Amino acid sequence: MKKKFLDLGKQPIANGFLKNKTDEFFFNLSVGFDEKTKLVSLMEFVSLEKMFNDSYVYHASQSKTMKKHFAETAFNLKKTLNPKTVMEIGSNDGVFIKNFSKKNTIAVEPCENFAKKTNNDGYKTYPSFWDIELAKQIVKNDGKQDLVFSANCMCHIPDILNAFESVKLLLSESGVFVFEDPSLLKMIERGSYDQIYDEHAHIFSVTALQNLLKKIGLEIFKVEQLDVHGGSNRIYASHASSRQIDSSVTHSLKEEESSGLDKFDTYLKFAESVKQSKDELLKILSFYKSQGCKIVSYGATSKSTTIFNYCGITQDLIDYIVDTTPSKQGKLSPGVNIPVVSPEQGFDNSVDVAFLGAWNFKKEILEKEKKFLQNGGLFLTHVPHIKEIKHV
Ligand code: DWN
């Protein structure tokens, strides 16, 4: 039984950028904690088809940081595991699989626009949601897999036990399941409540993952803490008792225990800090607006959909959002309908303040926009607390 600890109000589809103002679908975004498994999940899941379809706009290759991250990850996995067969679940635009040979790599991607792309690029891609029926079909067609990789996808799947069981079914005897998703510990530590939106059905702790994987006979043998996406965990799992357990597993579990991730009270305190973050953000944006400043948002992220809708931030405060993704440009942001334009079109000398919607790429963005800061521009972030950034 999940116990609710945070309510972020009525929210739209986080990546549902709109061509025109129209009636949108809204749902209640609230989050709960399961005392038994320690899993943090949305109280109400949104149907997968509403979020992931042939007009999905998030391209993982849009940042240099992520391209580099996946190239390095692929290189290291090849070196350490030397897999004969590789499968990725949630391959998006192919940013990870393109580092592997087309001969022994397959992919699963429910967004047909991306599935078509990777198929055309020569990687056999199943355009389906990940479940047990698909796993059986793949075993029949392609055999069991030595490496099953998934980045920022497992946490999107409401029926997570079914998803893990499906991986187990198709993992070869000595196979390794490697998956990475945002870390619950980092979200709590950094106050990054905007990690919560429709697509993130769960925010994983290592503690909860260990409980869930154990239930179905998979075992975590290594954990890597990553900087990407605001702090993520990369989990290495295998069939139970098949590998030596690395000390990183105990380290992560202990760290989470001492931060109280197994206690409901921790989440109630987090919910209080979220309200405070909202008040402070509205205060600082209103202050700059009252000074006649032009404020934009940098990065039309899923995360900023949560913030803008929760805080009630509209075009009254933020003139527009700049984003490099062509399929988001010329559209309106979900719910609050702030226009999205390209940085070339909108990030010019007229901008005084830029809210970092893509705060997880702070380093890459500040480096790219040095001139904006040198010319007196100001970045604003809410992570780990409301802060003005005046220098690189
Ligand atoms: O799990 C998910 C994660 C990994 O990515 C998905 N459910 C959806 C998505 O979440 P997000 O939209 O919050 O992701 P990002 O990666 O924080 O989005 C960054 C956005 O900012 C992209 O639209 C690209 C844009 N961007 C930009 O305009 N200029 C990014 C960089 C680095 C830039 O310089």
Side-chain angles (χ1 to χ4, degrees):
M1 255 290 276
K2 282 184 269 191
K3 271 168 80 180
K4 180 168 145 179
F5 63 86
L6 175 65
D7 193 333
L8 294 167
K10 291 278 167 231
Q11 294 276 346
I13 297 294
N15 268 309
F17 291 84
L18 307 163
K19 284 193 186 120
N20 308 298
K21 275 192 200 257
T22 176
D23 279 348
E24 289 181 73
F25 166 84
F26 284 90
F27 69 102
N28 186 264
L29 180 63
S30 52
V31 205
F33 174 67
D34 185 324
E35 296 268 14
K36 221 171 169 185
T37 60
K38 313 296 177 197
L39 182 64
V40 165
S41 310
L42 300 190
M43 296 302 290
E44 184 188 329
F45 296 126
V46 173
S47 103
L48 291 171
E49 290 78 6
K50 272 201 163 68
M51 301 181 285
F52 306 109
N53 46 50
D54 60 2
S55 45
Y56 191 62
V57 289
Y58 176 73
H59 289 246
S61 309
Q62 275 299 314
S63 88
K64 273 194 212 156
T65 311
M66 292 317 292
K67 279 204 260 187
K68 185 166 173 270
H69 168 78
F70 286 120
E72 284 170 4
T73 304
F75 177 82
N76 290 331
L77 291 174
K78 277 191 261 187
K79 203 167 98 182
T80 53
L81 302 173
N82 193 21
K84 290 198 177 60
T85 45
V86 179
M87 187 185 92
E88 185 181 12
I89 307 172
S91 48
N92 195 267
D93 57 9
V95 65
F96 173 77
I97 50 166
K98 72 172 187 204
N99 299 290
F100 287 85
S101 157
K102 289 168 189 161
K103 281 192 220 133
N104 65 345
T105 308
I106 57 173
V108 173
E109 174 50 62
C111 302
E112 286 201 29
N113 48 339
F114 292 127
K116 260 187 210 148
K117 181 193 179 296
T118 47
N119 250 322
N120 289 341
D121 291 345
Y123 293 93
K124 179 177 181 182
T125 308
Y126 288 85
S128 313
F129 288 104
W130 178 244
D131 63 14
I132 211 104
E133 290 315 315
L134 179 63
K136 284 181 191 162
Q137 196 190 331
I138 294 177
V139 173
K140 209 167 137 203
N141 297 346
D142 308 278
K144 295 207 172 193
Q145 303 294 309
D146 291 340
L147 170 62
V148 176
F149 182 80
S150 187
N152 305 302
C153 176
M154 283 294 132
C155 73
H156 294 66
I157 306 179
D159 190 350
I160 191 63
L161 271 181
N162 179 296
F164 287 155
E165 272 171 2
S166 312
V167 171
K168 186 177 178 238
L169 188 131
L170 120 166
L171 198 62
S172 68
E173 210 181 322
S174 58
V176 178
F177 174 32
V178 181
F179 62 106
E180 54 187 67
D181 293 284
S183 148
L184 178 65
L185 178 63
K186 294 297 173 225
M187 181 185 91
I188 299 283
E189 282 177 353
R190 296 176 179 172
S192 48
Y193 68 91
D194 50 341
Q195 292 286 10
I196 302 165
Y197 49 90
D198 54 355
E199 295 180 12
H200 285 175
H202 320 279
I203 311 284
F204 292 142
S205 62
V206 180
T207 311
L209 286 172
Q210 202 193 36
N211 292 336
L212 295 168
L213 289 165
K214 213 175 182 175
K215 273 184 193 228
I216 55 139
L218 288 177
E219 186 168 54
I220 301 178
F221 67 89
K222 190 166 142 187
V223 178
E224 280 171 356
Q225 299 187 355
L226 313 170
D227 281 340
V228 293
H229 285 303
S232 302
N233 284 317
R234 179 181 293 146
I235 306 289
Y236 291 74
S238 61
H239 291 287
S241 311
S242 65
R243 295 202 176 232
Q244 211 179 343
I245 313 291
D246 188 77
S247 58
S248 55
V249 181
T250 326
H251 171 82
S252 284
L253 292 171
K254 278 197 176 147
E255 197 184 11
E256 290 186 351
E257 193 186 358
S258 56
S259 301
L261 289 201
D262 54 343
K263 298 198 177 59
F264 187 62
D265 199 40
T266 304
Y267 300 99
L268 292 177
K269 284 189 191 133
F270 173 70
E272 278 308 307
S273 75
V274 171
K275 281 187 203 137
Q276 202 178 327
S277 176
K278 170 183 176 173
D279 292 346
E280 287 175 19
L281 180 61
L282 285 172
K283 197 167 146 198
I284 197 158
L285 289 174
S286 306
F287 167 76
Y288 280 112
K289 201 70 198 174
S290 70
Q291 300 297 300
C293 293
K294 176 170 175 180
I295 311 174
V296 304
S297 188
Y298 202 108
T301 58
S302 318
K303 296 183 287 291
S304 53
T305 296
T306 291
I307 299 181
F308 296 161
N309 285 278
Y310 171 61
C311 300
I313 294 170
T314 61
Q315 240 188 317
D316 290 347
L317 284 175
I318 291 196
D319 287 54
Y320 49 81
I321 306 171
V322 295
D323 195 290
T324 51
T325 315
S327 51
K328 293 182 185 176
Q329 293 160 2
K331 293 192 180 157
L332 300 169
S333 76
V336 291
N337 298 168
I338 301 174
V340 183
V341 301
S342 69
E344 292 74 24
Q345 198 187 334
F347 207 61
D348 55 25
N349 290 339
S350 66
V351 176
D352 302 297
V353 178
F355 173 68
L356 267 178
W359 55 267
N360 43 314
F361 294 117
K362 184 170 120 189
K363 206 167 155 219
E364 180 176 337
I365 293 170
L366 295 195
E367 194 53 44
K368 200 193 300 185
E369 304 298 355
K370 259 192 229 150
K371 277 216 173 101
F372 170 68
L373 291 168
Q374 282 160 2
N375 292 339
L378 181 86
F379 276 107
L380 262 188
T381 184
H382 70 293
V383 179
H385 45 78
I386 307 296
K387 204 167 108 184
E388 298 177 347
I389 303 165
K390 294 181 178 165
H391 312 281
V392 177

